[in-house]
Amino acid sequence: MPSNFSYPPMEQRRLIGKRISRVDGIEKAAGKAKYNSDVRPSGTLHAALLHCPHAHAKIRAIDVGAAKAMPGVTAIELMAAVGDEINWAMAEVAAVAATSEEVAREALTRIKVDYEVLPHLVREDKLEKVGNRAKPAGEVVSGDPDAAFKQADVVHEAEYGIPVITHCCLEPHGSVAAMNGDKVEFWPSTQNVSAVGDDLAKSLGVPATKVHTHMDFIGGGFGSKFQADKWGVAAAKLSKASGGKPVKLYLDRNPELTIAGVRPSLFGKVKIAAQKDGAITSWDSITWMTGGFVGGGINADLLPYVFRNIPNRRINHTAVATNAGTSRAWRAPNHPQLCYLTQSAMDDLAAKLGMDPLDFFGKNLGATARAAVYESQLRQAADMIGWKQNWKPRGASQGPVKRGLGLALGTWGGLGHNSECRATINPDGSVVIELGSQDIGTGTRTAILQVVAETLGLQMKDITLKIGDSSLPKSGASGGSTTIGGVSASSRLSAVAALDKLFEVAAQSLGVAPDQLEAVDGRIQVKGNSSKNLTWKAACAKLGVNTISETQRFESRNPRGMSTAGVGGVQMADVSVDIETGVVKMNKMVGVQDCGLIVNPKLADGQMHGGMIMSICAAIMEERVMDEATGRVLNGDMEFYKLALAGDIGELESKMDITPDHDKRGVIGLGEPSAVPGVTAIANAVANAIGVRVPVLPLTPRNVLNALAKRRLA
């Protein structure tokens, strides 16, 4: 293994750390990027799904005879059987493949299913009403919380809630599959190019080597697209039953919002205490949540979120199983919810103490894992939003449109995943980099090219990058903010190893030892004597008919300083609230985030802005609405499932906390931490503006006006 794999020092970098536009930006902006939902191999058949209309039912009989007899229907795949129990509405019962989408949908209407409808539960917000669906996790206690509450100067108690929200990928879940014998060509919308085929193979009972997966672009994933899923398996089976013709099966919007994954809710009764100087002394919480039929669990040790080292804690948590689509990983799983319960309560306690939240949070940074980092970030974010100039005590804003500021802190891991990369240098000077990663919209292609071009002393345009195919060296799934650390490291390792081999060849012509050479600006030159050099192409020509090919693997269990885990971030929000209409308007949102070595600050800003926008959606408008009578999702469409438009966002400003100390930690992922504190910062800003907490999100006009009405009645 080459000894010089470390990233170049900050002051010596040409491309790493530079604000370079993404290499696929024009392709995407022009609509030329081809997503797998656009793939249409010759002879493609269309498939449609039959969904159960009931939230809880048992199948007594299924009759597909009339559907199978329809002209144009090529295959029917049962996805549930007689006697099966269906546990959420829109669960898949059957899939039909046909020569057109219209024929497939018509065939669904001819499938007859007899259901025995069973009792269901779809609401979890009132723990006392869920009965035997509650699964307590047990109590965790540290210190002596009861004594601490008795000795405290101020105690605050309240209930908070953040509802289920759904994954809402613009490109829905699904795939195109062609299965001939035991060989499968697979075009999924996936965050896991290297391994999703293994998942499909297992379900089909074929060798993993027989499944070939390819994906160039994905239209959103956010943690929900790792598996082949029932839809991928059904597409492959329909293809096989249809003589091997490709079958396209993607979810419609309603099932996409109903069964393709949700972020769990979290509700809680919180009791928190402090001394009069603001030092928090005790925490007690009873929380519950649902992730659908599987319930919903949290790591109790994460409470109180970020401020985990409060000496006295009592934590009780209950998972609630509801008859609804199950949860999937969602950009920082459980962290936004835990942040909301913890830091909303902290903000309310600060108001009860009469303290500025900036001072109150700062006072308690000793209870965090990185006090100095957060202290600096709070100071930077406060300057960006003008906290000292604009903050007023809770409810002090005058007039019918009130303005407020709020803040919150977040954390995440972000250690790079396992990744293997192959670097090839050809005699003609061309360079090919190959790894089975995926670019899920974060700019992964651009970052890899920056790292490799920096390493080889070339321009990014001089390098051919191949990703998105399972035939390439395996790289990990894009989840948990692990991709950038993994692919940057593996591409750096393979490029350094290949360059060392080229140095060995060029050294003979330059009359020095290989370790005396460096690659700079398209040349292989002697260190300290740039006039003694070979152009890149001339050096590569020395290979004759040979090719250099180096495959190197980065492993998270032995990161060698190229990636580490654990980051901190602060976000602040500036809002206006019309107390006559209840409408919340975003004025500005700022974020300061450390993420180790930043490969591309422009891409990093994009990740920060994306996380902030998702937080705005979740805080102000986003909510899955369930009908208790039918057990169905009432807003499973893009008309009533509300997401932010450009005019809803306000001004966004992000700052990457780039310091030599952070940089030395290597490349750390950013997708998750950017999506954590924003919801809470916005909620705290609204409380600051209107003088009362809106306890359960989202901050819709109805919820805002209800909170104001309760204050007036109190």
Side-chain angles (χ1 to χ4, degrees), residues 111-282:
I111 298 176
K112 305 303 179 185
V113 185
D114 181 18
Y115 296 101
E116 177 190 354
V117 180
L118 303 172
H120 63 257
L121 173 75
V122 294
R123 293 286 298 274
E124 80 292 356
D125 49 326
K126 302 298 181 184
L127 185 60
E128 64 273 12
K129 294 183 178 182
V130 303
N132 63 3
R133 297 297 189 89
K135 298 177 175 59
E139 186 172 77
V140 176
V141 179
S142 59
D144 189 344
D146 291 333
F149 280 117
K150 290 178 181 178
Q151 296 166 8
D153 293 323
V154 178
V155 177
H156 168 71
E157 294 185 69
E159 292 191 25
Y160 303 89
I162 183 167
V164 168
I165 61 177
T166 85
H167 274 287
C168 190
C169 305
L170 290 184
E171 179 186 41
H173 290 65
S175 62
V176 177
M179 185 173 184
N180 290 281
D182 63 355
K183 185 178 181 181
V184 185
E185 290 292 330
F186 194 39
W187 296 270
S189 182
T190 184
Q191 297 173 239
N192 194 11
V193 165
S194 284
V196 70
D198 298 353
D199 182 49
L200 179 64
K202 184 177 180 180
S203 297
L204 295 174
V206 303
T209 55
K210 295 292 187 178
V211 179
H212 174 234
T213 303
H214 185 87
M215 186 193 73
D216 291 321
F217 299 98
I218 179 175
F222 315 115
S224 67
K225 292 180 176 177
F226 295 122
Q227 299 82 24
D229 283 317
K230 291 182 178 180
W231 322 302
V233 175
K237 289 183 175 180
L238 289 169
S239 171
K240 186 172 184 178
S242 302
K245 289 185 177 181
V247 170
K248 178 178 183 285
L249 177 53
Y250 275 80
L251 296 185
D252 294 332
R253 183 54 56 181
N254 184 261
E256 172 70 19
L257 290 174
T258 304
I259 64 173
V262 301
R263 187 180 79 179
S265 61
L266 184 63
F267 295 86
K269 299 176 181 178
V270 175
K271 184 177 180 182
I272 185 171
Q275 301 300 349
K276 59 185 177 182
D277 65 354
I280 300 173
T281 58
S282 192

Side-chain angles (χ1 to χ4, degrees), residues 301-310 335 338-339 342-343 346 361 364-371 374 408-412 567-569 676-677:
D301 194 43
L302 289 175
L303 282 170
Y305 183 73
V306 174
F307 297 84
R308 295 167 64 189
N309 296 324
I310 289 172
H335 281 233
L338 292 167
C339 181
T342 299
Q343 296 177 32
M346 287 178 60
F361 277 67
N364 289 284
L365 291 179
T368 73
R370 45 186 62 84
Y374 285 127
L409 283 62
T411 187
W412 189 251
V567 295
V676 175

Side-chain angles (χ1 to χ4, degrees), residues 42-59:
S42 178
T44 295
L45 301 172
H46 298 267
L49 291 171
L50 178 67
H51 302 278
C52 175
H54 307 293
H56 191 198
K58 183 174 287 188
I59 297 177

Side-chain angles (χ1 to χ4, degrees), residues 700-713:
T700 57
R702 182 186 66 178
N703 287 344
V704 170
L705 292 175
N706 283 344
L708 287 166
K710 288 179 181 178
R711 183 187 65 175
R712 287 193 291 268
L713 292 172

